[in-house]
Every structure is written in structure tokens, then in C-alpha cells.
Amino acid sequence: MDMLSGGFRLQGVSQSESVSQSKKMLARSACAAAVLAASAVSLPAAAKQFESEGGQTFSIGAGFRSQFQSVEGDSEFTLPDIRVYTSGQLNDTVKFTFNLQQRDGDTADVLDAIAQFEFSPQFNIWAGRMLTPADRIEMSGPFYGLSWNQYRQPLYASDQGGEAGLIGRDEGITFWGTAGKFQYAAGSFIGLDEYSNQDENPLYAARFAYNFLNMEANPGYYTSSTYYGGLGNIFTLAFSLQSQEDGVGSAESAGDFSGWTVDMLSETVLDAGGVITVEAEYKSFDADYTLASQPAVGDCFCLFDGESAFATAAYLFPSNVGPGKFQPYARLVENSPSDAASSSSTELGLNYVVNGHNTRLNLSFVSGDANASGYAGADVDVLSLGMQVQL
């Protein structure tokens, strides 16, 4: 997997024991993020739908991502994401979502299990296992992302190995809706429920977005990182935040965590038919205990402390070449922890878009030492050839 390639190293940490523990945490965190599946759970356009005489509906679909990857001359083929999507509704208000995912080499897990009470565009309630409101890349996920290797920034707690949620999901409740061009989602979740959080303090998460041009169209409060020009001109700014008291540290030494993010998506359809897409983000985390500054005693659930930013620019050519269109892109990432050396990465890629997010091919090259922990790992070159299909 790309973010495990060559292992990790922390720079600028003085104590050897802390470095050893940090490397273990880095590997575990990056492994989870490499197969991160925090994408929107909407069913693909080709999903099969059944309807009863009483008007109840049930839909089923599937998706997978496969890739061939070469890291410093070592190559492997993986299936990092295999999913089964199901959803249905009893009436216009009461609905449900139940999705499964098999991550590379693992058994199938419950991805989403949501009871949905959708009263109006302005106010809805979801309860169960679902995405925690967060920044765009974590909520778009790999299936609805713009770049192929986008998880090279520090990620929120539910994307860090399973102790505080998994694959961007957690158990809790979310209130969401829209008002004009304003969109909101806010919820309370279990978050970290062991290690430092002996008092079972909840995780609070929220996301607020404003669509200055055309409205983004996604199920629920989910996001996408490109619409391939299908929604016309888009310019959206969003602010997200998460916090949990005793959300980092060990059972012997508890610490707090909070983080906030500002992200932007701009998509412009040119007169000639081409599409320019720009995605950018600034993220700031405040963690009392980190991978580089761990408590003296006990096993630590530690997160990033510092700042991170990325920018991605893409151009979708207007003309079809065969069944699809080419979309070259470039992505730059810079991670600046407060207690260790900075890291960065550059990704150059080419999407071949056949049917939007349902069918695309990708060829990409990534160089750098940035990864999903936010701390510097091995400085490696990664060449990937990937395919994504949703039915």
C-alpha cells in the first residue's frame, strides 16, 4: 500500500522509546487510511431498485477499486475496496442504509447502518453507524475523490485505525439539512471510548458549507471532490470541526483533541466544453498527545498537532477519446507538525473518466514523505494504475 511503502520515520524526536512507539502508531494509522473508505454511500446510477405494491423500495448495488502499484521497484496488485450498497424506504420520511465493505485482505465489515428520518430539506435526523461530519476529502472518500492517492494529510480520529471509529464512520446521531445555498451537518458520536477516555466523553463533529454558485447535489450531507462539469459552475466554501475531551492519550494520561478545517471546491465549465476543477484545504489540529510527543506511561491513542494544507488542480478535456474523457491533475500536500519535521508530497495523475464516479481509470505518480498520520514517513516514489467500478 502506498502509505506503508518503505516504512516510516519520525524526524526531530529525541527519545528513542517515543520514536519506536510512534513508528508503530504511524504504521497502524497509515494502514487504516490507505484503505480509507469515507466516501458517500449513495447508490450508483446502475443500482438495481425494487418497489412493492405499497410503495416501499429497496435498492442494491456494488463497487470496487483495484490497483497495481510499484513502490521503489517493488510491485503488487491489490483490491483495497470492495463494497455492497443497500438502501430502502418505508415511506417518504423513514428510510435506511446498510452497506458492507471488504478491505484488502480482511473479512467484510459493516460500513454503514443508518436509520434515516428525513422530514424536509431543512431538517433531517440520521442515527446509527455513519460518516462523522468532516472535511471534504474524508467525506468524499476514494470513490468520489478527485485524485487517486489523496490520503497524505493528517486525518480525524475516525480514520485512524479503529479505536475511535473506522473508515471515517462512527456510531452516533447527525442532524443535517439545507437552507437556500447553506448546508449543515452536526452530530454527537462515541469517538474514542477507551485509552484516555475513561469518562466516555462524546465526540462532537460539524460541517457548514455555502454554495456561492450552483448547489452541489449529493445524498444527505455527503460531498464529492469533482462533478466532471455535470452540475455547471460551482464554488463552495466549507468549515468543519471536531472535538473530544480526553480524546487522546493513555489510560494513565488523558488529553484533549480539537481540529478544524476550511476547504474549497471550484468547478468551471468553459465555453469549449472543458472543465477546470480546483480543490484546496487548510487543516489545523490541536492534540495534547501526538505520535511524536506521547505520554510517559501507557499505550497511547495519539493524533497530529499542527497545520496541513493541500491544493489540487485538474482539467477535464471536452472531447471523448473512445468511451471516456481524459482528466490530468496535479496535487501538492504540505504537513507541518508542531513537534517534528515537516513533510510533503506531489502527485501527478491522469483520470480516464468513462461514466463519472461509476467507471474511471487512473494512472498516477506520487513522490514525497507525507502520509495520513501527518508526520514524515519514508520518502518514496509510487507509481499506481487503478480502476474503479460501481454498479
Side-chain angles (χ1 to χ4, degrees):
M1 296 181 184
D2 55 338
M3 285 171 281
L4 282 176
S5 305
F8 290 101
R9 62 174 183 277
L10 275 176
Q11 301 171 351
V13 182
S14 57
Q15 297 182 354
S16 60
E17 182 178 358
S18 177
V19 172
S20 176
Q21 293 173 343
S22 298
K23 287 180 177 178
K24 294 178 182 178
M25 287 295 295
L26 280 167
R28 181 172 61 183
S29 298
C31 181
V35 296
L36 180 73
S39 70
V41 296
S42 59
L43 288 170
K48 182 67 175 178
Q49 180 168 305
F50 305 89
E51 184 172 356
S52 70
E53 293 183 358
Q56 292 80 22
T57 64
F58 176 78
S59 299
I60 184 168
F64 75 90
R65 282 164 53 93
S66 62
Q67 66 181 19
F68 175 83
Q69 196 167 81
S70 176
V71 182
E72 302 291 325
D74 294 329
S75 302
E76 65 174 347
F77 174 81
T78 60
L79 286 166
D81 300 284
I82 303 174
R83 298 183 179 184
V84 175
Y85 308 111
T86 67
S87 67
Q89 66 178 53
L90 300 180
N91 51 51
D92 291 340
T93 300
V94 182
K95 306 174 184 179
F96 72 88
T97 293
F98 185 78
N99 300 326
L100 299 173
Q101 169 160 315
Q102 181 183 33
R103 296 178 295 148
D104 188 35
D106 291 342
T107 58
D109 298 317
V110 175
L111 182 65
D112 303 281
I114 313 170
Q116 303 165 220
F117 303 94
E118 301 184 0
F119 303 104
S120 70
Q122 293 76 30
F123 183 73
N124 305 276
I125 302 174
W126 286 7
R129 181 174 181 82
M130 73 200 84
L131 281 169
T132 59
D135 55 315
R136 185 178 293 271
I137 65 165
E138 294 191 52
M139 295 186 65
S140 297
F143 281 90
Y144 294 84
L146 176 59
S147 60
W148 191 262
N149 293 287
Q150 64 179 351
Y151 300 112
R152 296 180 178 273
Q153 279 191 287
L155 303 179
Y156 282 108
S158 58
D159 285 321
Q160 294 288 352
E163 290 85 358
L166 185 66
I167 321 177
R169 272 80 174 174
D170 198 3
E171 285 79 33
I173 185 168
T174 299
F175 304 90
W176 64 270
T178 62
K181 292 191 173 184
F182 174 75
Q183 298 171 299
Y184 74 91
S188 176
F189 299 86
I190 294 174
L192 183 68
D193 62 351
E194 51 184 21
Y195 289 84
S196 55
N197 191 16
Q198 300 299 308
D199 293 333
E200 299 184 347
N201 298 304
L203 170 77
Y204 298 106
R207 177 180 174 84
F208 308 98
Y210 189 81
N211 299 256
F212 289 88
L213 301 177
N214 293 341
M215 286 288 293
E216 295 187 50
N218 296 290
Y221 56 93
Y222 302 131
T223 65
S224 297
S225 292
T226 179
Y227 299 92
Y228 306 110
L231 297 182
N233 295 334
I234 290 171
F235 182 74
T236 304
L237 289 177
F239 174 75
S240 60
L241 67 159
Q242 292 190 12
S243 67
Q244 185 172 24
E245 184 180 354
D246 296 339
V248 292
S250 64
E252 295 80 6
S253 299
D256 300 334
F257 168 77
S258 63
W260 59 271
T261 306
V262 175
D263 62 69
M264 180 273 291
L265 178 67
S266 172
E267 196 149 88
T268 304
V269 181
L270 304 178
D271 291 339
V275 181
I276 298 174
T277 303
V278 178
E279 182 185 19
E281 176 176 296
Y282 172 83
K283 180 178 286 186
S284 177
F285 278 7
D286 183 2
D288 289 341
Y289 293 105
T290 77
L291 299 177
S293 303
Q294 301 192 22
V297 180
D299 294 331
C300 180
F301 180 79
C302 289
L303 295 172
F304 177 85
D305 184 278
E307 302 173 343
S308 176
F310 82 84
T312 308
Y315 178 71
L316 182 69
F317 282 93
S319 301
N320 282 57
V321 179
K325 298 179 180 180
F326 286 110
Q327 184 188 47
Y329 65 86
R331 186 172 194 265
L332 303 177
V333 176
E334 181 75 24
N335 299 326
S336 300
S338 61
D339 51 3
S342 297
S343 63
S344 62
S345 71
T346 300
E347 179 178 353
L348 300 177
L350 179 65
N351 290 321
Y352 184 64
V353 183
V354 179
N355 182 22
H357 295 294
N358 287 339
T359 309
R360 68 166 172 156
L361 303 175
N362 175 273
L363 177 65
S364 62
F365 174 78
V366 183
S367 180
D369 58 354
N371 61 80
S373 73
Y375 290 90
D379 192 348
V380 296
D381 296 334
V382 181
L383 181 66
S384 299
L385 177 63
M387 178 176 64
Q388 172 177 311
V389 175
Q390 296 187 96
L391 303 172

